[in-house]
Amino acid sequence: SYELTQPLSVSVALGQTATIACEGDNIEVKNVHWYQQRPDQAPLLVIYRDNNRPSGIPERFSGSNSGNTATLTISRAQAGDEADYYCQVWDSSIRVFGGGTKVTVL
Amino acid sequence: QITLRESGLTLVKPTQTLTLTCTFSGFSLNTNGVAVGWIRQPPGKALEWLAVIYWDDDKRYSPSLRNRLTITKDASKNQVVLTMTNMDPVDTGTYYCASEHVAVASDAFDVWGQGTTVTVPS
């Protein structure tokens, strides 16, 4: 079965840029989606199909996908960006989530 | 505005069957390209996809839980029901339903319910 690997944690200084990797075999051929989950809240879609932002998501959130790694980038990090972030793909008609990355804003 | 809400018993004994209902509004599960899925999250752990049902009644299940899960829909009532048999304490967690609208966000889960916490005591 397809697997997605994310770092357990990422730290970023306030106002700086955070990058979160999502690794999977030849992931570049798949559509990668990213979700933000703040403490005690439901997940929120922040990026779909590699680099598209749903309505209401700030431009500070961007995505890319190449080779075996998809990346979520959070520019000008704010305290409110502190959350868990999950990547997700569709593989052979099933959905697969990464293990999640905890982003801490220092 | 699209909303989803999960409901069902929150305390289930080992070996019993869990039945959860997702009641949604703001879209129709009769519309081409629409789906509703279930995802769960054990306490302090990652999201785990469980199942999805499409507008045309096509269904997909997590391979690891396939033999325990059944997903059905009643489009006229705007509801999707998930049953999970033979519950175990490791099935404790928060269960979410979420919608997919291919025309809007590809196969991403674009709107989520608030989740319902299910406990299976040991």
Side-chain angles (χ1 to χ4, degrees), chain A residues 31 33 35 37 41-43 45 48-49 86 88 90 93-95 97 99, chain B residues 41 45-47 49 54 60 96 100 104-110 112-113:
Chain A
N31 290 327
H33 316 304
Y35 303 88
Q37 187 179 32
Q41 293 189 17
L45 179 67
Y48 66 93
R49 209 166 61 225
Y86 295 90
Q88 180 243 315
W90 184 50
S93 297
I94 68 171
R95 277 80 171 140
F97 284 96
Chain B
Q41 185 173 37
K45 296 188 177 181
L47 300 171
W49 174 74
Y54 296 87
R60 295 288 185 265
Y96 298 98
E100 287 185 11
V104 175
S106 186
D107 52 272
F109 292 114
D110 53 357
W112 294 61

PDB file of all heavy atoms in Angstrom, chain A residues 31 33 35 37 41-43 45 48-49 86 88 90 93-95 97 99, chain B residues 41 45-47 49 54 60 96 100 104-110 112-113:
ATOM      1  N   ASN A  31      -2.182  13.861  -7.096  1.00  0.00           N
ATOM      2  CA  ASN A  31      -2.673  15.113  -6.541  1.00  0.00           C
ATOM      3  C   ASN A  31      -2.492  15.080  -5.024  1.00  0.00           C
ATOM      4  O   ASN A  31      -2.980  14.160  -4.358  1.00  0.00           O
ATOM      5  CB  ASN A  31      -4.164  15.302  -6.846  1.00  0.00           C
ATOM      6  CG  ASN A  31      -4.421  15.572  -8.308  1.00  0.00           C
ATOM      7  OD1 ASN A  31      -3.615  16.201  -8.982  1.00  0.00           O
ATOM      8  ND2 ASN A  31      -5.554  15.105  -8.806  1.00  0.00           N
ATOM      9  N   HIS A  33      -3.026  16.874  -1.342  1.00  0.00           N
ATOM     10  CA  HIS A  33      -3.835  17.833  -0.599  1.00  0.00           C
ATOM     11  C   HIS A  33      -3.240  18.005   0.796  1.00  0.00           C
ATOM     12  O   HIS A  33      -2.638  17.069   1.342  1.00  0.00           O
ATOM     13  CB  HIS A  33      -5.278  17.350  -0.485  1.00  0.00           C
ATOM     14  CG  HIS A  33      -5.833  16.801  -1.769  1.00  0.00           C
ATOM     15  ND1 HIS A  33      -5.854  17.531  -2.937  1.00  0.00           N
ATOM     16  CD2 HIS A  33      -6.384  15.588  -2.058  1.00  0.00           C
ATOM     17  CE1 HIS A  33      -6.388  16.798  -3.898  1.00  0.00           C
ATOM     18  NE2 HIS A  33      -6.711  15.612  -3.390  1.00  0.00           N
ATOM     19  N   TYR A  35      -3.981  19.539   4.848  1.00  0.00           N
ATOM     20  CA  TYR A  35      -4.962  19.940   5.838  1.00  0.00           C
ATOM     21  C   TYR A  35      -4.260  20.512   7.067  1.00  0.00           C
ATOM     22  O   TYR A  35      -3.208  20.023   7.475  1.00  0.00           O
ATOM     23  CB  TYR A  35      -5.831  18.749   6.268  1.00  0.00           C
ATOM     24  CG  TYR A  35      -6.533  18.074   5.120  1.00  0.00           C
ATOM     25  CD1 TYR A  35      -5.913  17.048   4.414  1.00  0.00           C
ATOM     26  CD2 TYR A  35      -7.805  18.476   4.722  1.00  0.00           C
ATOM     27  CE1 TYR A  35      -6.536  16.432   3.346  1.00  0.00           C
ATOM     28  CE2 TYR A  35      -8.441  17.862   3.654  1.00  0.00           C
ATOM     29  CZ  TYR A  35      -7.799  16.845   2.969  1.00  0.00           C
ATOM     30  OH  TYR A  35      -8.424  16.244   1.906  1.00  0.00           O
ATOM     31  N   GLN A  37      -4.854  21.224  11.112  1.00  0.00           N
ATOM     32  CA  GLN A  37      -5.704  20.874  12.248  1.00  0.00           C
ATOM     33  C   GLN A  37      -5.178  21.563  13.505  1.00  0.00           C
ATOM     34  O   GLN A  37      -4.170  21.164  14.075  1.00  0.00           O
ATOM     35  CB  GLN A  37      -5.766  19.360  12.464  1.00  0.00           C
ATOM     36  CG  GLN A  37      -6.779  18.962  13.531  1.00  0.00           C
ATOM     37  CD  GLN A  37      -6.877  17.459  13.732  1.00  0.00           C
ATOM     38  OE1 GLN A  37      -5.900  16.731  13.570  1.00  0.00           O
ATOM     39  NE2 GLN A  37      -8.067  16.985  14.086  1.00  0.00           N
ATOM     40  N   GLN A  41      -9.734  20.941  17.075  1.00  0.00           N
ATOM     41  CA  GLN A  41     -10.590  21.345  15.967  1.00  0.00           C
ATOM     42  C   GLN A  41     -10.553  20.292  14.862  1.00  0.00           C
ATOM     43  O   GLN A  41      -9.661  19.454  14.804  1.00  0.00           O
ATOM     44  CB  GLN A  41     -10.156  22.697  15.399  1.00  0.00           C
ATOM     45  CG  GLN A  41     -10.363  23.856  16.346  1.00  0.00           C
ATOM     46  CD  GLN A  41     -10.134  25.197  15.678  1.00  0.00           C
ATOM     47  OE1 GLN A  41     -10.119  25.303  14.451  1.00  0.00           O
ATOM     48  NE2 GLN A  41      -9.956  26.242  16.473  1.00  0.00           N
ATOM     49  N   ALA A  42     -11.548  20.362  14.001  1.00  0.00           N
ATOM     50  CA  ALA A  42     -11.574  19.491  12.837  1.00  0.00           C
ATOM     51  C   ALA A  42     -10.534  19.955  11.816  1.00  0.00           C
ATOM     52  O   ALA A  42     -10.163  21.136  11.791  1.00  0.00           O
ATOM     53  CB  ALA A  42     -12.962  19.497  12.205  1.00  0.00           C
ATOM     54  N   PRO A  43     -10.058  19.068  10.985  1.00  0.00           N
ATOM     55  CA  PRO A  43      -9.122  19.477   9.928  1.00  0.00           C
ATOM     56  C   PRO A  43      -9.754  20.481   8.968  1.00  0.00           C
ATOM     57  O   PRO A  43     -10.972  20.495   8.777  1.00  0.00           O
ATOM     58  CB  PRO A  43      -8.806  18.155   9.216  1.00  0.00           C
ATOM     59  CG  PRO A  43      -9.050  17.105  10.246  1.00  0.00           C
ATOM     60  CD  PRO A  43     -10.226  17.613  11.026  1.00  0.00           C
ATOM     61  N   LEU A  45      -9.051  22.093   5.004  1.00  0.00           N
ATOM     62  CA  LEU A  45      -8.297  22.008   3.759  1.00  0.00           C
ATOM     63  C   LEU A  45      -7.608  23.336   3.480  1.00  0.00           C
ATOM     64  O   LEU A  45      -8.279  24.376   3.433  1.00  0.00           O
ATOM     65  CB  LEU A  45      -9.237  21.645   2.607  1.00  0.00           C
ATOM     66  CG  LEU A  45      -8.628  21.530   1.215  1.00  0.00           C
ATOM     67  CD1 LEU A  45      -7.677  20.344   1.139  1.00  0.00           C
ATOM     68  CD2 LEU A  45      -9.737  21.417   0.160  1.00  0.00           C
ATOM     69  N   TYR A  48      -5.206  22.142  -2.173  1.00  0.00           N
ATOM     70  CA  TYR A  48      -5.656  20.962  -2.898  1.00  0.00           C
ATOM     71  C   TYR A  48      -4.954  20.871  -4.248  1.00  0.00           C
ATOM     72  O   TYR A  48      -4.523  21.879  -4.805  1.00  0.00           O
ATOM     73  CB  TYR A  48      -7.182  20.946  -3.062  1.00  0.00           C
ATOM     74  CG  TYR A  48      -7.752  22.040  -3.934  1.00  0.00           C
ATOM     75  CD1 TYR A  48      -7.969  21.840  -5.292  1.00  0.00           C
ATOM     76  CD2 TYR A  48      -8.103  23.276  -3.382  1.00  0.00           C
ATOM     77  CE1 TYR A  48      -8.500  22.834  -6.087  1.00  0.00           C
ATOM     78  CE2 TYR A  48      -8.629  24.277  -4.167  1.00  0.00           C
ATOM     79  CZ  TYR A  48      -8.825  24.064  -5.521  1.00  0.00           C
ATOM     80  OH  TYR A  48      -9.361  25.054  -6.303  1.00  0.00           O
ATOM     81  N   ARG A  49      -4.845  19.668  -4.736  1.00  0.00           N
ATOM     82  CA  ARG A  49      -4.208  19.412  -6.017  1.00  0.00           C
ATOM     83  C   ARG A  49      -2.874  20.150  -6.131  1.00  0.00           C
ATOM     84  O   ARG A  49      -2.659  20.953  -7.051  1.00  0.00           O
ATOM     85  CB  ARG A  49      -5.149  19.783  -7.143  1.00  0.00           C
ATOM     86  CG  ARG A  49      -4.931  18.975  -8.415  1.00  0.00           C
ATOM     87  CD  ARG A  49      -6.091  19.135  -9.351  1.00  0.00           C
ATOM     88  NE  ARG A  49      -6.290  20.508  -9.777  1.00  0.00           N
ATOM     89  CZ  ARG A  49      -7.483  21.103  -9.826  1.00  0.00           C
ATOM     90  NH1 ARG A  49      -8.567  20.460  -9.468  1.00  0.00           N
ATOM     91  NH2 ARG A  49      -7.578  22.342 -10.232  1.00  0.00           N
ATOM     92  N   TYR A  86      -1.384  17.768   7.712  1.00  0.00           N
ATOM     93  CA  TYR A  86      -1.411  16.443   7.112  1.00  0.00           C
ATOM     94  C   TYR A  86      -1.462  16.546   5.592  1.00  0.00           C
ATOM     95  O   TYR A  86      -2.234  17.342   5.043  1.00  0.00           O
ATOM     96  CB  TYR A  86      -2.648  15.665   7.575  1.00  0.00           C
ATOM     97  CG  TYR A  86      -2.680  15.344   9.045  1.00  0.00           C
ATOM     98  CD1 TYR A  86      -3.259  16.214   9.965  1.00  0.00           C
ATOM     99  CD2 TYR A  86      -2.129  14.159   9.527  1.00  0.00           C
ATOM    100  CE1 TYR A  86      -3.279  15.923  11.312  1.00  0.00           C
ATOM    101  CE2 TYR A  86      -2.153  13.852  10.872  1.00  0.00           C
ATOM    102  CZ  TYR A  86      -2.728  14.744  11.756  1.00  0.00           C
ATOM    103  OH  TYR A  86      -2.757  14.440  13.091  1.00  0.00           O
ATOM    104  N   GLN A  88      -2.242  14.367   2.016  1.00  0.00           N
ATOM    105  CA  GLN A  88      -3.157  13.281   1.645  1.00  0.00           C
ATOM    106  C   GLN A  88      -3.145  13.102   0.137  1.00  0.00           C
ATOM    107  O   GLN A  88      -3.075  14.092  -0.611  1.00  0.00           O
ATOM    108  CB  GLN A  88      -4.574  13.594   2.123  1.00  0.00           C
ATOM    109  CG  GLN A  88      -5.609  12.523   1.795  1.00  0.00           C
ATOM    110  CD  GLN A  88      -6.707  13.007   0.864  1.00  0.00           C
ATOM    111  OE1 GLN A  88      -7.255  14.091   1.044  1.00  0.00           O
ATOM    112  NE2 GLN A  88      -7.034  12.215  -0.133  1.00  0.00           N
ATOM    113  N   TRP A  90      -4.669  10.319  -3.244  1.00  0.00           N
ATOM    114  CA  TRP A  90      -5.617   9.312  -3.684  1.00  0.00           C
ATOM    115  C   TRP A  90      -4.819   8.277  -4.453  1.00  0.00           C
ATOM    116  O   TRP A  90      -4.146   8.619  -5.433  1.00  0.00           O
ATOM    117  CB  TRP A  90      -6.642   9.986  -4.585  1.00  0.00           C
ATOM    118  CG  TRP A  90      -7.758   9.138  -5.079  1.00  0.00           C
ATOM    119  CD1 TRP A  90      -8.572   8.325  -4.355  1.00  0.00           C
ATOM    120  CD2 TRP A  90      -8.213   9.050  -6.424  1.00  0.00           C
ATOM    121  NE1 TRP A  90      -9.507   7.751  -5.163  1.00  0.00           N
ATOM    122  CE2 TRP A  90      -9.321   8.170  -6.445  1.00  0.00           C
ATOM    123  CE3 TRP A  90      -7.800   9.644  -7.622  1.00  0.00           C
ATOM    124  CZ2 TRP A  90     -10.008   7.876  -7.612  1.00  0.00           C
ATOM    125  CZ3 TRP A  90      -8.497   9.339  -8.790  1.00  0.00           C
ATOM    126  CH2 TRP A  90      -9.574   8.462  -8.773  1.00  0.00           C
ATOM    127  N   SER A  93      -7.907   4.416  -5.866  1.00  0.00           N
ATOM    128  CA  SER A  93      -9.262   4.648  -5.365  1.00  0.00           C
ATOM    129  C   SER A  93      -9.379   4.709  -3.853  1.00  0.00           C
ATOM    130  O   SER A  93     -10.485   4.784  -3.331  1.00  0.00           O
ATOM    131  CB  SER A  93     -10.238   3.593  -5.900  1.00  0.00           C
ATOM    132  OG  SER A  93     -10.329   3.668  -7.301  1.00  0.00           O
ATOM    133  N   ILE A  94      -8.271   4.635  -3.129  1.00  0.00           N
ATOM    134  CA  ILE A  94      -8.336   4.826  -1.682  1.00  0.00           C
ATOM    135  C   ILE A  94      -7.585   6.098  -1.312  1.00  0.00           C
ATOM    136  O   ILE A  94      -6.750   6.582  -2.069  1.00  0.00           O
ATOM    137  CB  ILE A  94      -7.778   3.625  -0.900  1.00  0.00           C
ATOM    138  CG1 ILE A  94      -6.271   3.497  -1.104  1.00  0.00           C
ATOM    139  CG2 ILE A  94      -8.490   2.340  -1.284  1.00  0.00           C
ATOM    140  CD1 ILE A  94      -5.650   2.482  -0.184  1.00  0.00           C
ATOM    141  N   ARG A  95      -7.936   6.614  -0.164  1.00  0.00           N
ATOM    142  CA  ARG A  95      -7.280   7.828   0.319  1.00  0.00           C
ATOM    143  C   ARG A  95      -6.213   7.458   1.334  1.00  0.00           C
ATOM    144  O   ARG A  95      -6.413   6.559   2.164  1.00  0.00           O
ATOM    145  CB  ARG A  95      -8.306   8.763   0.982  1.00  0.00           C
ATOM    146  CG  ARG A  95      -9.053   9.610  -0.015  1.00  0.00           C
ATOM    147  CD  ARG A  95     -10.155   8.812  -0.666  1.00  0.00           C
ATOM    148  NE  ARG A  95     -11.036   9.654  -1.474  1.00  0.00           N
ATOM    149  CZ  ARG A  95     -11.534   9.298  -2.643  1.00  0.00           C
ATOM    150  NH1 ARG A  95     -11.234   8.122  -3.139  1.00  0.00           N
ATOM    151  NH2 ARG A  95     -12.333  10.104  -3.296  1.00  0.00           N
ATOM    152  N   PHE A  97      -3.426   9.213   4.161  1.00  0.00           N
ATOM    153  CA  PHE A  97      -2.943  10.382   4.875  1.00  0.00           C
ATOM    154  C   PHE A  97      -1.508  10.158   5.332  1.00  0.00           C
ATOM    155  O   PHE A  97      -1.115   9.022   5.660  1.00  0.00           O
ATOM    156  CB  PHE A  97      -3.799  10.656   6.126  1.00  0.00           C
ATOM    157  CG  PHE A  97      -5.131  11.271   5.840  1.00  0.00           C
ATOM    158  CD1 PHE A  97      -6.269  10.483   5.734  1.00  0.00           C
ATOM    159  CD2 PHE A  97      -5.263  12.647   5.696  1.00  0.00           C
ATOM    160  CE1 PHE A  97      -7.509  11.043   5.478  1.00  0.00           C
ATOM    161  CE2 PHE A  97      -6.498  13.220   5.446  1.00  0.00           C
ATOM    162  CZ  PHE A  97      -7.616  12.421   5.331  1.00  0.00           C
ATOM    163  N   GLY A  99       1.494  10.968   8.216  1.00  0.00           N
ATOM    164  CA  GLY A  99       1.457  10.853   9.668  1.00  0.00           C
ATOM    165  C   GLY A  99       1.303  12.159  10.419  1.00  0.00           C
ATOM    166  O   GLY A  99       1.128  12.162  11.644  1.00  0.00           O
TER     167      GLY A  99
ATOM    168  N   GLN B  41      -9.602   9.510  14.025  1.00  0.00           N
ATOM    169  CA  GLN B  41      -8.348   9.958  14.617  1.00  0.00           C
ATOM    170  C   GLN B  41      -8.271   9.478  16.063  1.00  0.00           C
ATOM    171  O   GLN B  41      -8.964  10.021  16.932  1.00  0.00           O
ATOM    172  CB  GLN B  41      -8.255  11.484  14.557  1.00  0.00           C
ATOM    173  CG  GLN B  41      -6.938  12.045  15.036  1.00  0.00           C
ATOM    174  CD  GLN B  41      -6.846  13.541  14.785  1.00  0.00           C
ATOM    175  OE1 GLN B  41      -7.829  14.271  14.904  1.00  0.00           O
ATOM    176  NE2 GLN B  41      -5.667  14.007  14.413  1.00  0.00           N
ATOM    177  N   LYS B  45      -3.161  10.892  17.823  1.00  0.00           N
ATOM    178  CA  LYS B  45      -2.560  10.235  16.656  1.00  0.00           C
ATOM    179  C   LYS B  45      -3.026  10.868  15.352  1.00  0.00           C
ATOM    180  O   LYS B  45      -3.764  11.849  15.355  1.00  0.00           O
ATOM    181  CB  LYS B  45      -2.868   8.739  16.688  1.00  0.00           C
ATOM    182  CG  LYS B  45      -2.247   8.019  17.877  1.00  0.00           C
ATOM    183  CD  LYS B  45      -2.406   6.524  17.769  1.00  0.00           C
ATOM    184  CE  LYS B  45      -1.714   5.831  18.934  1.00  0.00           C
ATOM    185  NZ  LYS B  45      -1.833   4.350  18.860  1.00  0.00           N
ATOM    186  N   ALA B  46      -2.593  10.270  14.256  1.00  0.00           N
ATOM    187  CA  ALA B  46      -2.840  10.845  12.941  1.00  0.00           C
ATOM    188  C   ALA B  46      -4.236  10.503  12.417  1.00  0.00           C
ATOM    189  O   ALA B  46      -4.918   9.608  12.928  1.00  0.00           O
ATOM    190  CB  ALA B  46      -1.784  10.345  11.957  1.00  0.00           C
ATOM    191  N   LEU B  47      -4.607  11.212  11.382  1.00  0.00           N
ATOM    192  CA  LEU B  47      -5.853  10.927  10.682  1.00  0.00           C
ATOM    193  C   LEU B  47      -5.745   9.585   9.945  1.00  0.00           C
ATOM    194  O   LEU B  47      -4.693   9.244   9.400  1.00  0.00           O
ATOM    195  CB  LEU B  47      -6.154  12.028   9.662  1.00  0.00           C
ATOM    196  CG  LEU B  47      -6.313  13.441  10.206  1.00  0.00           C
ATOM    197  CD1 LEU B  47      -6.392  14.441   9.064  1.00  0.00           C
ATOM    198  CD2 LEU B  47      -7.540  13.548  11.096  1.00  0.00           C
ATOM    199  N   TRP B  49      -8.038   7.396   7.069  1.00  0.00           N
ATOM    200  CA  TRP B  49      -9.198   7.325   6.193  1.00  0.00           C
ATOM    201  C   TRP B  49      -9.882   5.973   6.342  1.00  0.00           C
ATOM    202  O   TRP B  49      -9.230   4.926   6.411  1.00  0.00           O
ATOM    203  CB  TRP B  49      -8.767   7.538   4.742  1.00  0.00           C
ATOM    204  CG  TRP B  49      -9.877   7.349   3.780  1.00  0.00           C
ATOM    205  CD1 TRP B  49     -10.925   8.199   3.545  1.00  0.00           C
ATOM    206  CD2 TRP B  49     -10.084   6.228   2.928  1.00  0.00           C
ATOM    207  NE1 TRP B  49     -11.767   7.665   2.588  1.00  0.00           N
ATOM    208  CE2 TRP B  49     -11.269   6.466   2.198  1.00  0.00           C
ATOM    209  CE3 TRP B  49      -9.388   5.043   2.695  1.00  0.00           C
ATOM    210  CZ2 TRP B  49     -11.758   5.567   1.261  1.00  0.00           C
ATOM    211  CZ3 TRP B  49      -9.871   4.145   1.766  1.00  0.00           C
ATOM    212  CH2 TRP B  49     -11.051   4.401   1.056  1.00  0.00           C
ATOM    213  N   TYR B  54     -19.787   7.555  -3.222  1.00  0.00           N
ATOM    214  CA  TYR B  54     -19.942   8.526  -4.292  1.00  0.00           C
ATOM    215  C   TYR B  54     -21.410   8.738  -4.648  1.00  0.00           C
ATOM    216  O   TYR B  54     -22.281   7.936  -4.283  1.00  0.00           O
ATOM    217  CB  TYR B  54     -19.188   8.062  -5.532  1.00  0.00           C
ATOM    218  CG  TYR B  54     -17.693   7.982  -5.351  1.00  0.00           C
ATOM    219  CD1 TYR B  54     -17.092   6.830  -4.840  1.00  0.00           C
ATOM    220  CD2 TYR B  54     -16.872   9.053  -5.688  1.00  0.00           C
ATOM    221  CE1 TYR B  54     -15.727   6.742  -4.685  1.00  0.00           C
ATOM    222  CE2 TYR B  54     -15.502   8.975  -5.537  1.00  0.00           C
ATOM    223  CZ  TYR B  54     -14.937   7.821  -5.043  1.00  0.00           C
ATOM    224  OH  TYR B  54     -13.579   7.741  -4.880  1.00  0.00           O
ATOM    225  N   ARG B  60     -15.768   2.851  -1.581  1.00  0.00           N
ATOM    226  CA  ARG B  60     -14.384   2.423  -1.386  1.00  0.00           C
ATOM    227  C   ARG B  60     -14.107   2.343   0.109  1.00  0.00           C
ATOM    228  O   ARG B  60     -14.594   3.177   0.869  1.00  0.00           O
ATOM    229  CB  ARG B  60     -13.403   3.392  -2.044  1.00  0.00           C
ATOM    230  CG  ARG B  60     -13.506   3.443  -3.559  1.00  0.00           C
ATOM    231  CD  ARG B  60     -12.958   2.175  -4.189  1.00  0.00           C
ATOM    232  NE  ARG B  60     -12.942   2.250  -5.648  1.00  0.00           N
ATOM    233  CZ  ARG B  60     -13.893   1.785  -6.427  1.00  0.00           C
ATOM    234  NH1 ARG B  60     -14.963   1.210  -5.879  1.00  0.00           N
ATOM    235  NH2 ARG B  60     -13.793   1.893  -7.724  1.00  0.00           N
ATOM    236  N   TYR B  96     -14.781  11.596  11.946  1.00  0.00           N
ATOM    237  CA  TYR B  96     -15.221  12.736  11.142  1.00  0.00           C
ATOM    238  C   TYR B  96     -15.871  12.253   9.844  1.00  0.00           C
ATOM    239  O   TYR B  96     -15.424  11.262   9.257  1.00  0.00           O
ATOM    240  CB  TYR B  96     -14.031  13.607  10.731  1.00  0.00           C
ATOM    241  CG  TYR B  96     -13.258  14.252  11.846  1.00  0.00           C
ATOM    242  CD1 TYR B  96     -12.076  13.683  12.323  1.00  0.00           C
ATOM    243  CD2 TYR B  96     -13.668  15.468  12.399  1.00  0.00           C
ATOM    244  CE1 TYR B  96     -11.343  14.281  13.326  1.00  0.00           C
ATOM    245  CE2 TYR B  96     -12.940  16.078  13.404  1.00  0.00           C
ATOM    246  CZ  TYR B  96     -11.779  15.479  13.856  1.00  0.00           C
ATOM    247  OH  TYR B  96     -11.047  16.083  14.856  1.00  0.00           O
ATOM    248  N   GLU B 100     -16.540  15.666  -0.511  1.00  0.00           N
ATOM    249  CA  GLU B 100     -15.676  15.878  -1.670  1.00  0.00           C
ATOM    250  C   GLU B 100     -16.508  16.458  -2.794  1.00  0.00           C
ATOM    251  O   GLU B 100     -17.608  15.964  -3.078  1.00  0.00           O
ATOM    252  CB  GLU B 100     -15.064  14.554  -2.165  1.00  0.00           C
ATOM    253  CG  GLU B 100     -13.981  13.971  -1.308  1.00  0.00           C
ATOM    254  CD  GLU B 100     -13.366  12.742  -1.951  1.00  0.00           C
ATOM    255  OE1 GLU B 100     -13.643  12.485  -3.147  1.00  0.00           O
ATOM    256  OE2 GLU B 100     -12.608  12.049  -1.266  1.00  0.00           O
ATOM    257  N   VAL B 104     -14.859  21.333  -7.453  1.00  0.00           N
ATOM    258  CA  VAL B 104     -14.356  22.450  -6.645  1.00  0.00           C
ATOM    259  C   VAL B 104     -12.914  22.220  -6.222  1.00  0.00           C
ATOM    260  O   VAL B 104     -12.059  23.088  -6.375  1.00  0.00           O
ATOM    261  CB  VAL B 104     -15.243  22.663  -5.404  1.00  0.00           C
ATOM    262  CG1 VAL B 104     -14.651  23.742  -4.501  1.00  0.00           C
ATOM    263  CG2 VAL B 104     -16.657  23.017  -5.814  1.00  0.00           C
ATOM    264  N   ALA B 105     -12.639  21.045  -5.648  1.00  0.00           N
ATOM    265  CA  ALA B 105     -11.324  20.806  -5.043  1.00  0.00           C
ATOM    266  C   ALA B 105     -10.808  19.410  -5.358  1.00  0.00           C
ATOM    267  O   ALA B 105     -10.174  18.788  -4.507  1.00  0.00           O
ATOM    268  CB  ALA B 105     -11.391  21.021  -3.538  1.00  0.00           C
ATOM    269  N   SER B 106     -11.067  18.934  -6.550  1.00  0.00           N
ATOM    270  CA  SER B 106     -10.572  17.617  -6.945  1.00  0.00           C
ATOM    271  C   SER B 106     -11.077  16.581  -5.952  1.00  0.00           C
ATOM    272  O   SER B 106     -12.223  16.652  -5.516  1.00  0.00           O
ATOM    273  CB  SER B 106      -9.040  17.651  -7.003  1.00  0.00           C
ATOM    274  OG  SER B 106      -8.530  16.434  -7.508  1.00  0.00           O
ATOM    275  N   ASP B 107     -10.261  15.630  -5.555  1.00  0.00           N
ATOM    276  CA  ASP B 107     -10.709  14.597  -4.637  1.00  0.00           C
ATOM    277  C   ASP B 107     -10.296  14.892  -3.208  1.00  0.00           C
ATOM    278  O   ASP B 107     -10.135  13.983  -2.402  1.00  0.00           O
ATOM    279  CB  ASP B 107     -10.175  13.228  -5.070  1.00  0.00           C
ATOM    280  CG  ASP B 107      -8.664  13.257  -5.282  1.00  0.00           C
ATOM    281  OD1 ASP B 107      -8.260  13.585  -6.406  1.00  0.00           O
ATOM    282  OD2 ASP B 107      -7.916  12.980  -4.335  1.00  0.00           O
ATOM    283  N   ALA B 108     -10.124  16.156  -2.876  1.00  0.00           N
ATOM    284  CA  ALA B 108      -9.815  16.543  -1.500  1.00  0.00           C
ATOM    285  C   ALA B 108     -11.086  16.605  -0.674  1.00  0.00           C
ATOM    286  O   ALA B 108     -12.178  16.850  -1.195  1.00  0.00           O
ATOM    287  CB  ALA B 108      -9.122  17.905  -1.485  1.00  0.00           C
ATOM    288  N   PHE B 109     -10.944  16.421   0.623  1.00  0.00           N
ATOM    289  CA  PHE B 109     -12.060  16.589   1.551  1.00  0.00           C
ATOM    290  C   PHE B 109     -12.175  18.079   1.854  1.00  0.00           C
ATOM    291  O   PHE B 109     -11.430  18.612   2.667  1.00  0.00           O
ATOM    292  CB  PHE B 109     -11.829  15.779   2.819  1.00  0.00           C
ATOM    293  CG  PHE B 109     -11.878  14.291   2.603  1.00  0.00           C
ATOM    294  CD1 PHE B 109     -10.754  13.509   2.763  1.00  0.00           C
ATOM    295  CD2 PHE B 109     -13.068  13.669   2.247  1.00  0.00           C
ATOM    296  CE1 PHE B 109     -10.802  12.135   2.558  1.00  0.00           C
ATOM    297  CE2 PHE B 109     -13.126  12.294   2.048  1.00  0.00           C
ATOM    298  CZ  PHE B 109     -11.985  11.529   2.196  1.00  0.00           C
ATOM    299  N   ASP B 110     -13.127  18.730   1.196  1.00  0.00           N
ATOM    300  CA  ASP B 110     -13.141  20.192   1.242  1.00  0.00           C
ATOM    301  C   ASP B 110     -13.879  20.764   2.435  1.00  0.00           C
ATOM    302  O   ASP B 110     -13.594  21.883   2.855  1.00  0.00           O
ATOM    303  CB  ASP B 110     -13.682  20.779  -0.066  1.00  0.00           C
ATOM    304  CG  ASP B 110     -15.035  20.206  -0.461  1.00  0.00           C
ATOM    305  OD1 ASP B 110     -15.531  19.303   0.242  1.00  0.00           O
ATOM    306  OD2 ASP B 110     -15.596  20.676  -1.467  1.00  0.00           O
ATOM    307  N   TRP B 112     -15.408  19.584   6.426  1.00  0.00           N
ATOM    308  CA  TRP B 112     -15.420  18.546   7.455  1.00  0.00           C
ATOM    309  C   TRP B 112     -16.483  18.854   8.506  1.00  0.00           C
ATOM    310  O   TRP B 112     -16.769  20.019   8.798  1.00  0.00           O
ATOM    311  CB  TRP B 112     -14.065  18.481   8.150  1.00  0.00           C
ATOM    312  CG  TRP B 112     -12.933  18.021   7.290  1.00  0.00           C
ATOM    313  CD1 TRP B 112     -12.463  18.624   6.146  1.00  0.00           C
ATOM    314  CD2 TRP B 112     -12.109  16.879   7.495  1.00  0.00           C
ATOM    315  NE1 TRP B 112     -11.402  17.916   5.635  1.00  0.00           N
ATOM    316  CE2 TRP B 112     -11.168  16.839   6.451  1.00  0.00           C
ATOM    317  CE3 TRP B 112     -12.071  15.872   8.471  1.00  0.00           C
ATOM    318  CZ2 TRP B 112     -10.192  15.833   6.344  1.00  0.00           C
ATOM    319  CZ3 TRP B 112     -11.108  14.885   8.375  1.00  0.00           C
ATOM    320  CH2 TRP B 112     -10.174  14.863   7.322  1.00  0.00           C
ATOM    321  N   GLY B 113     -17.030  17.794   9.078  1.00  0.00           N
ATOM    322  CA  GLY B 113     -17.847  17.963  10.261  1.00  0.00           C
ATOM    323  C   GLY B 113     -16.967  18.204  11.471  1.00  0.00           C
ATOM    324  O   GLY B 113     -15.739  18.116  11.388  1.00  0.00           O
TER     325      GLY B 113
END
